[in-house]
């Protein structure tokens, strides 16, 4: 019998749900998703009109921007790597340090973050949106026409759209569902090693981030767990204090959310600071700093191959038409070329 | 009889072709268009990985960026307003000053323009593309596998995609085709005035830019034609020397291509420097500096309303999946967050 046939798939391994629940205070509807999609792709939510959510979370690819850390308006560089928005719904908190409890709360951040979309405040952002007649009518349809163009409704729509960003039916899911030809022998070895080495201690559940359906409590892990190791200096992995920056509690120093590993082959570079350029090196680092072990190169390759099996099926997305302000500029206070 | 019924539609008025011819040396094929679409949307063609063709020519809206002048990598601001790519195929030259003879040649520019995508040279851009296996195979399918990842092939694919960016069947087209209910009375008055005032002297043909099917010779018009007028100072309209910057011939000073007016309601702000924020004001300026006449406000409104009828039907575009470099970063020499 082949490696694949001998392998008993235990309960550790779970397939990705094909849909996500919506919260009671923000039920998903088709119109809301469509509005959220428009907002997600609309660069006019940024001060300069050049940066949309999709700039840093490119849905044409891994839901990230491929950069070590993101670049927002005016070329400003932020401190952290952009995580994917694919399957971000399957998390109990958002951001590397979990500082937002849900997708709604999360989406308020980037719009007014200086190195991201750089709006001076939410009112200004909403003023811009409300100046576009097509948005006024879309908000009215979704949220009622009584002053419904608000930041709270905007982020509800964006979150409803994000709840559709799910990539099921990867080779791994098909394997777990019983198709033993879905993985190669190396991938199966990688899968077994991922469990036996202890990766699943943190990276468990359908999204490999510790979440299981129904779980709502946020949780964090120390990273790096083992210090004074060769990788820490090389990649400056101990510089960012993680959750401590949010809570200022000493015990939260170096605590980070366990990230989703779905589509991890598409989201190089790696870690909260994007300092590691290859997945193989990220796996070496993890084994070292989280498990205090060194993997053989063959083992690294098997795990990397296994991770390739976590690339899911991406839904077809039709490019939204974003509404216009007929015959009128929508950006104000921009440097006109005339004054250059 | 109503205004519409009385109006005889003369030969001046032409509908937009629903397809564009492809040149003999770059025949359009479905695979080539698909590859061109991927490249058009791919921010990895820019040095920082943040700016794609679509950043400045947003196909979700007017094919422009809504800015006075464009903002490229590192927030650098260029000197001119981004023209729409919708219907840009119906032009006999590209750029405000016509310095590119066709879409292929045009597309080579932005990739290495400092304030746009900022690649040091085409080789570097092509190296980036060739490092992505999915691109290597797509180029091989379209152009053969013998070293086919080249800048010449890349721009051929992009141009083939751009030749599909046509917006036919506007209210204006339906009116010209005989549907007399397609335009309002004000729009019909605007249409008549557009001819009688002399706008069609320059803005003729199906795209309102002087082009007619079969025409291949580039042509230019003086702008501003009448000087010492109140608008020149206000909007610095005489600062850019236009075609002179390309040819250095004195007679080319202030010569500009006549721009397409299709979807002009979606592409504020106006003129080569984007200094004019509203279409009504652009119409006032045109009458003044090109025709030495002043329009009544009611006439301006009628012309603006008529221009609203030039909004066409936008094709549904499926968001492309852009290929990845599995488990490896594709950007090099970026500031990592670790060194901030
Ligand atoms: C300029 C880049 C940039 C823009 C624009 C941007 N983001 Fe992000 N996003 C990031 C970065 C960087 C992080 C991680 C920040 C951190 O953890 O401190 C992040 C985190 C997130 C997360 C959390 C994912 C996780 O796994 O924790 C979500 C969801 C998200 N962004 C969605 C959005 C939405 C929605 C928008 C638009 C409203 C947006 N982003 C705009 C860069 C960006
Ligand atoms: C004790 C918990 C823990 C263990 C054990 C663990 N990880 Fe992680 N893993 C994390 C945390 C927390 C992060 C986020 C680190 C950061 O802040 O960048 C992470 C990040 C990663 C990343 C990078 C994700 C990204 O998007 O950049 C990969 C890949 C990864 N882990 C794989 C593994 C593998 C393979 C193993 C086993 C060899 C493993 N992990 C063991 C907690 C753990
Ligand atoms: C940072 C902004 C920016 C980027 C990126 C950009 N463009 Fe442009 N584009 C412009 C501006 C500004 C002009 C006008 C420049 C001029 O006339 O001197 C222009 C002109 C054009 C034109 C000529 C249209 C006309 O009516 O004359 C076409 C076609 C075009 N761009 C296509 C592209 C393609 C294809 C790409 C990607 C390979 C691209 N652009 C990238 C800003 C940009
Ligand atoms: C003698 C030629 C000529 C005449 C007559 C003329 N135009 Fe223009 N038009 C141009 C040129 C050239 C430009 C580009 C100017 C520039 O460089 O910004 C232009 C630009 C425009 C624009 C702005 C396009 C954009 O994308 O920013 C509008 C709107 C316009 N014309 C409408 C009109 C109207 C309405 C009339 C009649 C009242 C008219 N034009 C008469 C040649 C002409
Ligand atoms: Ca990453
Ligand atoms: Ca526009
Ligand atoms: Ca414009
Ligand atoms: Mg990526």
């Amino acid at each position: 019998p082949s490696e694949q046939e001998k392998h008993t798939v235990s309960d550790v391994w779970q397939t990705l749900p094909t849909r996500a629940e919506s919260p009671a205070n923000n039920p998903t509807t088709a119109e809301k998703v469509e509005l959220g999609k428009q907002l997600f792709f609309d660069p006019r939510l940024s001060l300069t009109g050049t940066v949309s959510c999709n700039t840093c979370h490119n849905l044409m690819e891994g839901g990230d921007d491929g950069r070590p850390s993101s670049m927002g308006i005016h070329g400003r560089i932020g401190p952290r790597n952009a995580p994917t928005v694919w399957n971000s719904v399957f998390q109990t908190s958002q951001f590397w340090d979990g500082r937002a409890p849900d997708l709604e709360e999360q989406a308020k951040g980037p719009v007014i973050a200086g190195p991201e979309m750089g709006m001076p405040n939410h009112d200004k952002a909403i003023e811009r949106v409300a100046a576009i007649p097509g948005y006024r009518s879309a908000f009215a349809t979704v949220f009622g026409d009584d002053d419904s163009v608000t930041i709270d409704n905007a982020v509800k729509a964006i979150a409803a759209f994000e709840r559709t960003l799910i990539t099921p039916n990867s080779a791994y899911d098909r394997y777990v569902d019983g198709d033993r030809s879905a993985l190669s022998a190396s991938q199966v070895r990688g899968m077994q090693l991922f469990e036996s080495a202890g990766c699943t201690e943190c990276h468990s559940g359908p999204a490999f981030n510790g979440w299981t359906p129904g779980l709502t409590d946020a949780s964090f892990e120390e990273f790096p767990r083992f210090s004074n190791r060769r990788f820490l200096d090389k990649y400056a992995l101990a510089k960012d204090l993680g959750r401590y920056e949010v809570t200022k509690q000493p015990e939260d120093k170096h605590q980070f959310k366990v990230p989703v590993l779905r589509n991890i082959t598409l989201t190089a570079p790696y870690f909260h600071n994007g300092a590691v350029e290859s997945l193989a090196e990220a796996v070496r680092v993890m084994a070292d700093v989280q498990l205090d072990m060194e993997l053989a190169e063959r083992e690294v390759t098997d795990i990397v191959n296994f991770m390739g099996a976590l690339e899911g099926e991406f839904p077809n997305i039709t490019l939204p038409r974003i509404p216009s302000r007929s015959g009128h500029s929508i950006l104000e206070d921009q440097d006109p070329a005339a004054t250059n």
Side-chain angles (χ1 to χ4, degrees), chain A:
Chain A
S2 70
E3 207 89 31
Q4 290 95 314
E5 284 156 354
K6 280 184 297 185
H7 180 212
T8 309
V9 175
S10 75
D11 287 355
V12 177
W13 307 110
Q14 294 170 33
T15 59
L16 198 69
T18 54
R19 310 185 21 158
E21 309 264 299
S22 52
N25 68 353
N26 189 22
T28 298
T29 66
E31 284 98 345
K32 198 187 281 178
V33 169
E34 189 57 34
L35 173 58
K37 179 166 97 169
Q38 290 175 313
L39 294 168
F40 187 91
F41 279 102
D42 198 332
R44 294 169 301 182
L45 287 182
S46 68
L47 184 65
T48 53
T50 55
V51 173
S52 70
C53 308
N54 197 68
T55 301
C56 300
H57 303 286
N58 194 345
L59 296 178
M60 298 173 222
E61 206 246 356
D64 65 332
D65 58 11
R67 294 185 45 83
S69 75
S70 291
M71 183 173 270
I73 63 158
H74 296 306
R76 290 184 198 141
I77 294 182
R80 287 187 182 152
N81 181 261
T84 184
V85 288
W86 290 111
N87 307 301
S88 63
V89 58
F90 301 126
Q91 303 187 110
T92 51
S93 70
Q94 304 295 329
F95 291 120
W96 288 97
D97 51 24
R99 68 185 181 277
D102 54 35
L103 290 169
E104 284 80 356
E105 209 44 43
Q106 191 289 322
K108 291 181 187 166
V111 176
I112 55 169
E116 300 192 349
M117 302 167 101
M119 282 291 192
N121 52 57
H122 285 137
D123 285 350
K124 191 84 192 162
I126 286 305
E127 214 175 87
R128 181 98 54 88
V129 173
I132 302 169
Y135 272 133
R136 284 203 301 276
S137 57
F139 275 80
T141 304
V142 175
F143 298 106
D145 24 34
D146 200 19
D147 281 336
S148 61
V149 187
T150 63
I151 186 68
D152 289 324
N153 285 338
V155 299
K156 279 183 176 173
I158 291 173
F161 172 60
E162 289 176 309
R163 291 197 172 89
T164 70
L165 301 177
I166 300 174
T167 66
N169 210 26
S170 67
Y172 162 83
D173 293 297
R174 285 181 272 119
Y175 185 84
V176 172
D177 268 346
D179 175 2
R180 291 314 169 93
S181 69
L183 299 189
S184 70
S186 166
Q187 290 176 316
V188 170
R189 286 195 304 273
M191 183 171 167
Q192 290 171 319
L193 194 54
F194 192 81
E195 185 176 6
S196 61
C199 312
T200 47
E201 193 192 308
C202 300
H203 296 286
S204 63
F208 295 84
N209 63 338
W211 172 83
T212 48
L215 190 74
T216 54
D217 285 352
S219 71
F220 301 90
E221 294 286 343
E222 195 181 4
F223 171 83
R225 226 182 182 184
F226 296 94
S227 48
N228 303 319
R229 303 292 309 233
R230 64 188 160 116
F231 287 126
L232 300 197
D233 284 350
K234 186 165 181 196
Y235 298 121
L237 296 176
K239 221 181 133 194
D240 187 328
L241 298 182
R243 194 146 176 78
Y244 172 81
E245 307 285 4
V246 187
T247 66
K248 300 292 171 190
Q249 301 297 310
E251 66 272 23
D252 286 337
K253 277 192 183 161
H254 302 291
Q255 293 284 325
F256 286 91
K257 201 182 55 182
V258 178
V260 169
L261 297 185
R262 294 273 173 177
N263 308 304
I264 191 73
T265 41
L266 309 184
T267 58
Y270 298 100
F271 298 122
H272 62 257
N273 63 358
V276 172
E277 294 216 338
S278 81
L279 184 54
E281 184 75 346
V283 169
R284 281 179 214 113
V285 170
M286 270 283 129
D288 188 18
V289 308
Q290 298 304 81
L291 295 165
D292 199 19
M293 71 188 280
E294 197 167 336
L295 296 169
E297 276 310 289
R298 203 198 126 143
E299 294 176 315
V300 171
T301 303
D302 286 341
I303 292 179
V304 167
N305 287 342
F306 167 58
M307 292 195 163
L310 305 183
E311 280 181 33
E313 271 174 20
F314 293 85
N316 280 328
I317 298 181
T318 308
L319 207 65
R321 292 290 313 157
I322 60 175
S324 299
R325 193 167 170 220
S326 179
H328 285 276
S329 180
I330 181 74
L331 303 174
E332 52 319 279
D333 312 325
Q334 305 296 322
D335 287 340
T339 65
N340 268 1

